[in-house]
Amino acid sequence: MDVNDRRILVTGALGQIGSELVPALRARVGPARVVASDIRMPRPDSPLSEGLFEHVDCTELRQIQDLVRRHDIGAIYHLAGVLSAVGEDWPHVAWDVNMGGLYRILEVARQNRCVLFFPSSIGAFGPTTPRERTPQDTLQRPQTIYGITKVAGELLCDYYARRFGVDTRGLRLPGIISYVAPPGGGTTDYAVEIFHHAIRYRRYTCFLRADTRLDMMYMPDTLRAIIALMEAEPVRLHHRNAFNVTAMSITPAELPQAIRRHVPEFVIDYRIDPVRQAIADSWPRSLDDSAARAQWGWAPAYDLEAMTADMLERLAERLGNEL
Ligand code: SER
């Protein structure tokens, strides 16, 4: 993608994905070309406090407009958003942040000719969607406010592409497993928490049923997917918002088996959270990501075994614990 010398803006930069996407982009295009932004301020010890950082509320059009013009932004990775479980606690906040934020970002992108990355989700599907190998193009009738904002967001991004020629691209991301920053209140968070608890306490109480199958992806694959999609030749993209992507389809019963190969004494038990269980039960059990594979060469590098080994080693080092 031709973004010339214009800078890149990442919103929600202190979140789970932003904390790692910003350093990855800085390594790729140079630190001076990536502006991180968030509604929170980075802690002094955060790597993000070293580079360009702007305090911004994405629901405030003038703040975004000012930032984009001041830094000559040519590409926006709009990661600021409320996740599924928190969204059910605060539906009006989820709507304001997810829809209000995206709409304003799209308007600024249109006015300043920026390209845009939008993260959609497995949450954009609902109970009437085929649940096994969910197709790229299928029924999308989600029942969470999070999912509603993701479907509406996909449609709005496609509208801006068709109507105004804004180069918008998106991924339907599964649960993301990572060790740098925690996820901010999603239904798939168990798959991150379980590693912290395995290392610290050798046991974990899971809030989803043992047989709840959901798609997951390790962060290095997520970063590669985002960057590959944004660098793909536009003529190859028959879809835009948003591509199904996945790396593994796993249950809370299968993850401990992989962890026990490294931490043999690890045990899991279950105390079901009815809200998050109902959300998970309405989502796909596995996605068909063949459109992403065909149109821009998507292929994950980490399966369950490879992710578990790397995650345990790196998280233990980060926490200063023995495995
Ligand atoms: N990880 C997200 C959530 O659980 C799904 O996109 O809300």
Side-chain angles (χ1 to χ4, degrees):
M1 166 178 316
D2 181 23
V3 288
N4 303 318
D5 291 331
R6 297 176 73 196
R7 288 201 177 99
I8 293 171
L9 169 65
V10 179
T11 72
L14 298 180
Q16 186 190 16
I17 299 175
S19 299
E20 298 193 52
L21 182 63
V22 169
L25 290 171
R26 284 185 173 153
R28 200 161 179 86
V29 301
R33 279 197 48 214
V34 181
V35 182
S37 73
D38 203 285
I39 199 162
R40 296 173 288 168
M41 290 299 286
R43 292 154 47 126
D45 58 348
S46 160
L48 294 199
S49 67
E50 283 162 20
L52 289 166
F53 185 93
E54 292 281 346
H55 182 246
V56 74
D57 177 349
C58 290
T59 65
E60 295 290 336
L61 185 75
R62 287 169 80 162
Q63 288 185 22
I64 313 161
Q65 184 75 274
D66 170 62
L67 189 165
V68 164
R69 292 194 173 152
R70 212 157 19 87
H71 287 286
D72 189 22
I73 299 293
I76 305 174
Y77 292 70
H78 179 47
L79 305 181
V82 172
L83 288 182
S84 59
V86 173
E88 290 311 294
D89 287 339
W90 307 97
H92 56 290
V93 177
W95 179 264
D96 281 350
V97 173
N98 293 11
M99 280 326 294
L102 176 63
Y103 172 66
R104 285 166 183 82
I105 290 281
L106 277 164
E107 265 305 289
V108 172
R110 178 179 73 79
Q111 290 168 27
N112 297 277
R113 305 210 63 74
C114 305
V115 301
L116 175 72
F117 173 77
F118 167 68
S120 186
S121 158
I122 51 171
F125 299 110
T128 51
T129 303
R131 295 191 68 204
E132 305 287 348
R133 288 196 57 76
T134 300
Q136 174 67 38
D137 300 304
T138 187
L139 264 176
Q140 291 182 264
R141 307 280 297 175
Q143 291 185 335
T144 61
I145 191 69
Y146 173 72
I148 291 166
T149 65
K150 289 301 181 188
V151 177
E154 290 183 11
L155 293 172
L156 197 59
C157 287
D158 274 343
Y159 179 79
Y160 268 72
R162 215 173 30 248
R163 177 85 164 74
F164 302 118
V166 179
D167 188 348
T168 62
R169 305 177 185 197
L171 298 174
R172 292 190 187 121
L173 293 170
I176 308 298
I177 300 170
S178 67
Y179 52 84
V180 174
T187 302
T188 55
D189 293 14
Y190 90 85
V192 177
E193 288 173 6
I194 195 170
F195 286 99
H196 286 259
H197 287 239
I199 291 167
R200 286 201 155 122
Y201 316 117
R202 288 1 200 184
R203 61 175 310 124
Y204 177 61
T205 301
C206 185
F207 56 78
L208 293 182
R209 249 187 0 253
D211 63 350
T212 310
R213 183 169 296 283
L214 292 167
D215 281 303
M216 301 282 171
M217 188 187 286
Y218 195 32
M219 184 62 88
D221 277 334
T222 310
L223 303 179
R224 279 195 315 108
I226 294 172
I227 291 169
L229 173 64
M230 292 301 277
E231 291 183 353
E233 285 299 320
V235 289
R236 290 186 63 199
L237 304 179
H238 303 300
H239 293 84
R240 280 180 168 273
N241 300 286
F243 283 93
N244 287 0
V245 281
T246 184
M248 60 195 96
S249 164
I250 58 171
T251 67
E254 289 166 359
L255 201 37
Q257 289 168 14
I259 291 174
R260 269 186 221 113
R261 289 197 188 101
H262 308 268
V263 187
E265 66 275 32
F266 178 66
V267 288
I268 186 164
D269 62 4
Y270 299 88
R271 193 164 54 237
I272 307 308
D273 168 6
V275 173
R276 284 181 284 189
Q277 186 64 54
I279 295 174
D281 288 341
S282 75
W283 287 355
R285 289 163 58 85
S286 65
L287 294 186
D288 175 352
D289 60 2
S290 51
R293 288 172 184 267
Q295 292 177 39
W296 49 274
W298 161 242
Y302 288 87
D303 60 9
L304 175 60
E305 298 302 330
M307 175 277 292
T308 302
D310 198 64
M311 179 77 185
L312 282 171
E313 189 186 324
R314 289 175 190 264
L315 185 61
E317 192 183 310
R318 214 175 155 79
L319 296 176
N321 283 56
E322 293 279 307
L323 248 198

